[in-house]
């Protein structure tokens, strides 16, 4: 591992991509334009649920500059298929989940406000807007189903889905769990609502569809987290074009948080439309479209119970959740409240029996899918709210109750009762470090000081764990995934010794161009500046699975290491040929190939040149060139874990919550770039705090999105959060070559429960709905500064 001041693994190297970003040289979707480009505006439903009785586009077609108007019927007539869900979940009776038809552009009905039902294409964006306003649509408004808790008793939304139920899923040993509860000395129960969130990446979604009439080739430019998968789905399932005729390019992307993983209507429509009008078609969402059309996150209603012995030992847990899928199944929606949720309910604890049941339902709301953490934040919130509440009910210190039930280091690998096998960890080390940073020993004194000032102070813990590095393929496929979850890489050594890395992972703010370059620099012993990282173009690299689930360094980085190992192995053969010896007598270290028991050596650059200017190579044994590919498919998930502690102070007169201190101690395994990791943690913490205190996607009874702009949907800002204390402990992952675990989602997974545990501690209440806004907190205090005992 490199010294702190170096550029290899372990060094806080400044991100090389930031130079172009902060100087305005980034290449985002709105920066990309094509010759002869037209502009698209989508017709979007103003109703949550309605029949489409007729669409009169004559006014639009008469509008100056309008090129074409297409409806869902046009796409259907051309054989464009439904948008698929890529994860099959089975109900407890063994039947498949019910997936209703999801046409990219609605044909006969619309099922949520903002659903596209037509597309207007024009010479300018303003002309397309004018044309869209000139379209006259006749709707028959129908009663909407909005609330997930009552969806099964509402009007049936889809002909193929009785009771609006997608699946009724269960996991774990129900009999063992019931037996555990039967012998419990104490049972803690909670009713929890995990509020709906709207992603709000800085850059809105966008797409440009291009068509080359001479070759029949399509190119789709879009800001996607996984362009290779987008290409596969559009070709094989939606059937926009044959895979060999479709290239997907994803340039610089301004954030995703999960919302840019999925296959949406808009990129499907503009690609297809480009072939119809024989010109490029560009669409960039405005912020209102993003609120309505980007997949939302969370939206669970849960009843959870924890059974404990009289000494605080966890005996069992049972959880019943209703998950809102929205109007349709998005790309990975079915997996989020099941295999990404139920399998994480063990947390960091030795709970011997766990049983979870989940019913997912359709409503007339925007589809819900993965959002930063995807199932893991929901599971952590359930577990950590239960544990904190149990400690209070038993009169135990919440840190000590956790410590008493932690999986111990000598118990790894540890098989949980919900199917996962944790490979390594030291949970007490993170807890102890967090207690030290928060100065837990003096909390009582700080609380007394706040009380003397008429304020309420509370502290909350969250000891989270997550399953990351989304893979392995065989496990994922056995659980219903539609594709394997490996990753690809190519390490291409150029003639002069510089290196180009082509990865199937995609960067949209994570710093891959820096981190991956550090890995290659360390592995090959070459200058960091000599490594270029290429991603986001299905025409330049092998099929890959993209970026989500904190998988990039654990899976994508490991593929790069495997390819680099092949480079070293071939380099040894080249050197052995030049030295007239065997490759098993060649060592490689710090960029130098050397012969054992000899003073002969070759620098990496010399070997690169020799590979392309071969001197009498035996071509039947050693081909010219120095470029290698690799695929990496791990044998297990990675399991980042840690403890977050939040301390709040509340003004009873206004209900205002101030986070006065926040500590996050995480175990991410070995760390490639500490500065980048700290930035990732900061961003995740802010999103987790945003859910706890500020953000909430709200629909009214008619299915209208009440929080459809920043006027009503409150995003966290700098003055809403403190200066974080971030630290790490290290237990290396045992099954990937880098020993890494992933860090991108941890902040959002651990923070929310820590904040709400602190707020409820300060208020002295058991339950409180998120977000804990000033109004919510003030009402919990009875509107008079005195806690009412429950919210």
């Amino acid at each position: 591992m490199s010294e702190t001041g170096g550029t290899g693994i372990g060094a806080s190297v400044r991100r090389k991509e930031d130079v172009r970003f902060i100087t305005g040289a980034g290449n985002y979707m709105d920066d990309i334009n094509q010759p002869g480009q037209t502009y698209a505006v989508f017709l979007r439903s103003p109703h949550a649920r309605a029949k489409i009785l007729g669409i009169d586009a004559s006014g639009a077609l008469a509008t100056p500059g309008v090129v074409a108007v297409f409806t869902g019927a046009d796409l259907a007539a051309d054989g464009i298929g439904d948008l698929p869900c890529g994860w099959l979940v089975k109900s407890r009776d063994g039947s498949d989940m019910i997936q209703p038809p999801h046409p990219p552009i609605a044909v006969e009905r619309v099922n949520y406000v903002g659903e596209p039902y037509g597309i207007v294409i024009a010479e300018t964006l303003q002309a397309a807007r004018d044309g869209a306003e000139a379209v006259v649509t006749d709707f028959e408004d129908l009663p909407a189903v909005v609330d997930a808790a009552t969806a099964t008793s509402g009007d049936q939304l889809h002909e193929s889905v009785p009771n609006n139920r997608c699946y009724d899923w269960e996991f774990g040993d129900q009999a063992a769990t019931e037996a555990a509860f039967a012998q419990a000395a104490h049972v803690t129960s909670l009713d929890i609502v995990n509020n709906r969130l709207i992603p709000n990446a800085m850059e809105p979604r966008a797409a440009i569809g291009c068509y080359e009439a001479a070759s029949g080739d399509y190119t789709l430019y879009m800001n996607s987290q996984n362009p290779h998968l987008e290409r596969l789905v559009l070709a094989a399932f939606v059937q926009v074009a044959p895979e060999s005729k479709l290239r997907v390019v994803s340039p610089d992307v301004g954030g995703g948080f999960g919302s840019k993983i999925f296959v949406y209507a808009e990129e499907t429509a503009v690609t297809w439309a480009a072939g119809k009008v024989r010109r490029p078609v560009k669409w960039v969402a405005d912020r209102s479209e993003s609120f309505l059309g980007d997949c939302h996150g969370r939206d669970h209603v849960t009843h959870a119970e924890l059974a404990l012995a009289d000494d605080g030992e966890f005996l069992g847990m049972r959880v019943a959740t209703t998950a809102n899928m929205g109007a349709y199944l998005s790309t990975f929606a079915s997996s989020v409240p099941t295999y990404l949720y139920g399998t994480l309910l063990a947390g960091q604890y030795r709970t011997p029996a766990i049983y979870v049941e989940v019913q997912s339902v359709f409503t007339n709301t925007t589809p819900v899918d993965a959002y930063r953490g995807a199932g893991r934040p929901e599971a952590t919130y359930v577990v950590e709210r239960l544990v904190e509440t149990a400690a209070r009910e038993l009169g135990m210190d919440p840190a000590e109750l956790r410590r008493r039930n932690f999986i111990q280091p000598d118990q790894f690998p540890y098989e949980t009762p919900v199917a996962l096998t944790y490979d390594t960890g030291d949970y007490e080390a993170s807890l102890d470090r967090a207690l030290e940073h928060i100065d837990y020993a003096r909390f009582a004194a700080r609380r007394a000081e706040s009380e003397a000032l008429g304020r309420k102070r509370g502290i909350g813990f969250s000891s989270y764990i997550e399953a990351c590095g989304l893979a392995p393929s065989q496990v994922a496929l056995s659980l219903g995934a539609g594709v394997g979850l490996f990753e690809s890489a190519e390490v291409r050594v150029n003639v002069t010794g510089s290196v180009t890395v082509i990865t199937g992972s995609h960067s949209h703010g994570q710093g891959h161009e820096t981190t991956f370059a550090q890995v290659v620099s360390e592995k090959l012993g070459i200058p960091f500046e000599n490594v270029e990282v290429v991603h986001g173009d299905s025409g330049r690299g092998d099929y890959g699975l993209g970026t989500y689930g904190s998988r990039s360094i654990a899976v994508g980085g490991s593929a790069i290491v495997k390819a680099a190992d092949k480079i070293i192995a071939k380099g040894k053969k080249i050197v052995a040929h030049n030295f007239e010896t065997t490759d098993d007598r060649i060592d490689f270290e710090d960029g130098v190939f050397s012969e054992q028991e000899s003073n002969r050596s070759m620098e990496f650059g010399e070997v690169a040149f020799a590979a392309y200017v071969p001197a009498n190579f035996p071509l039947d044994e050693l081909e010219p060139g120095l470029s290698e590919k690799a695929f990496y498919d791990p044998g297990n998930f990675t399991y980042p874990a840690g403890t977050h502690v939040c301390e709040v102070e509340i003004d009873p007169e206004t209900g205002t919550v101030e986070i006065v201190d926040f500590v996050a101690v995480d175990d991410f395994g070995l760390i490639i770039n500490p500065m980048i990791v700290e930035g990732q943690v900061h961003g995740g913490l802010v999103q987790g705090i945003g859910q706890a205190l500020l953000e909430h996607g709200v629909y009214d009874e008619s299915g209208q999105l009440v929080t459809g702009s920043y006027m009503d949907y409150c995003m966290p800002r700098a003055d809403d959060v403190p200066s974080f204390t971030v630290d790490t402990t290290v237990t290396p992952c045992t099954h990937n070559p880098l020993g890494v675990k992933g860090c991108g989602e941890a902040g959002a997974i651990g923070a929310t429960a820590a904040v709400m545990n602190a707020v409820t501690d300060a208020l002295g209440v058991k339950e409180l709905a998120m977000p804990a806004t000033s109004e919510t907190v003030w009402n919990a205090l009875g509107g008079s500064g005195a806690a009412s005992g429950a919210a």
Side-chain angles (χ1 to χ4, degrees), residues 411-714:
Q411 294 178 302
F412 292 101
Y414 183 86
E415 186 174 346
T416 75
V418 278
L420 298 181
T421 300
Y422 303 162
D423 62 329
T424 185
D426 187 348
Y427 306 143
E428 285 195 69
S430 296
L431 174 63
D432 290 340
R433 190 80 59 85
L435 293 174
E436 179 183 344
H437 281 305
I438 204 75
D439 192 9
Y440 190 49
R442 290 196 67 255
F443 171 70
R446 294 194 297 274
R447 172 175 265 174
E449 292 169 4
S450 294
E451 289 177 353
L453 296 172
R455 294 175 177 267
K456 295 182 176 292
R457 185 175 286 252
I459 195 166
F461 294 81
S462 176
S463 293
Y464 76 92
I465 192 167
E466 51 171 328
C468 290
L470 283 186
S473 293
Q474 292 305 312
V475 173
L477 291 168
S478 71
L479 297 178
V483 294
L485 296 174
F486 55 82
E487 195 49 87
S488 65
E490 179 180 357
V491 175
R492 185 181 299 167
V493 182
N494 303 311
V495 180
T496 57
S498 64
V499 172
T500 301
V501 176
I502 303 173
T503 173
S505 300
H506 189 280
S507 179
H508 40 279
Q510 294 88 343
H512 293 171
E513 293 175 39
T514 301
T515 307
F516 289 165
Q518 287 181 257
V519 170
V520 173
S521 171
E522 176 103 356
K523 189 74 179 174
L524 300 181
I526 62 175
F528 168 78
E529 296 78 12
N530 289 2
V531 183
E532 177 193 16
V533 177
V534 175
H535 60 87
D537 187 342
S538 69
R540 293 193 63 180
D542 284 333
Y543 177 80
L545 270 299
T547 295
Y548 44 87
S550 302
R551 72 190 302 269
S552 294
I553 191 63
V555 187
S558 294
I560 292 170
V561 169
K562 286 187 65 178
D565 284 337
K566 293 181 180 180
I567 293 290
I568 294 169
K570 184 170 182 181
K572 289 181 178 181
K573 292 180 184 296
I574 294 170
V575 174
H577 170 73
N578 284 353
F579 290 171
E580 297 182 335
T581 185
T582 57
D583 59 0
D584 60 353
R585 289 184 49 77
I586 304 299
D587 295 328
F588 179 75
E589 186 175 0
D590 296 332
V592 178
F593 293 89
S594 56
E595 184 180 12
Q596 298 170 7
E597 302 175 356
S598 166
N599 62 358
R600 293 193 296 180
S601 64
M602 292 181 70
E603 300 280 344
F604 185 85
E606 294 177 291
V607 175
F609 188 81
Y612 291 96
V613 188
N616 301 318
F617 273 8
L619 296 181
D620 58 333
E621 300 176 12
L622 192 61
E623 294 180 350
L626 195 55
S627 179
E628 298 289 348
K629 297 180 179 181
F631 289 82
Y632 178 73
D633 197 347
N636 194 0
F637 299 99
T638 62
Y639 298 99
T643 291
H644 294 182
V645 187
C646 177
E647 193 167 327
V648 302
E649 191 175 63
I650 296 173
D651 181 354
E653 297 301 318
T654 63
T656 303
V657 177
E658 179 187 1
I659 299 177
V660 295
D661 202 357
F662 197 107
V663 170
V665 179
D666 304 288
D667 178 2
F668 299 134
L670 294 179
I671 291 176
I672 308 300
N673 187 315
M675 180 188 69
I676 287 178
V677 167
E678 185 169 352
Q680 285 285 296
V681 173
H682 280 205
L685 293 177
V686 172
Q687 284 183 282
I689 290 168
Q691 176 174 11
L693 298 182
L694 301 166
E695 299 183 51
H696 192 188
V698 179
Y699 286 88
D700 66 17
E701 292 182 356
S702 67
Q704 295 293 325
L705 182 62
V706 177
T707 52
S709 75
Y710 292 133
M711 294 293 289
D712 300 293
Y713 188 90
C714 187

Side-chain angles (χ1 to χ4, degrees), residues 44 71 78 115 121 138 144 211 246 335 369 395 460 584 689 765:
R44 296 187 182 273
T71 66
D78 222 28
E115 180 174 3
I121 299 169
D138 186 12
Y211 177 72
L246 177 62
S335 66
D369 208 319
D584 60 353
I689 290 168
V765 302

Side-chain angles (χ1 to χ4, degrees), residues 59 101 155 270 373 385 582 675 684 702 728:
D155 281 10
V270 298
R385 288 287 293 119
T582 57
M675 180 188 69
S702 67
T728 57

Side-chain angles (χ1 to χ4, degrees), residues 293-306:
D294 290 6
C295 283
H296 295 177
R298 314 290 194 263
D299 205 343
H300 286 192
V301 179
T302 296
H303 178 76
E305 297 176 324
L306 178 64

Side-chain angles (χ1 to χ4, degrees), residues 720-740:
D720 292 313
V721 297
S723 179
F724 300 118
T725 300
V726 174
D727 200 354
T728 57
T729 59
V730 178
T731 58
C733 176
T734 61
H735 56 77
N736 68 53
L738 289 168
V740 295

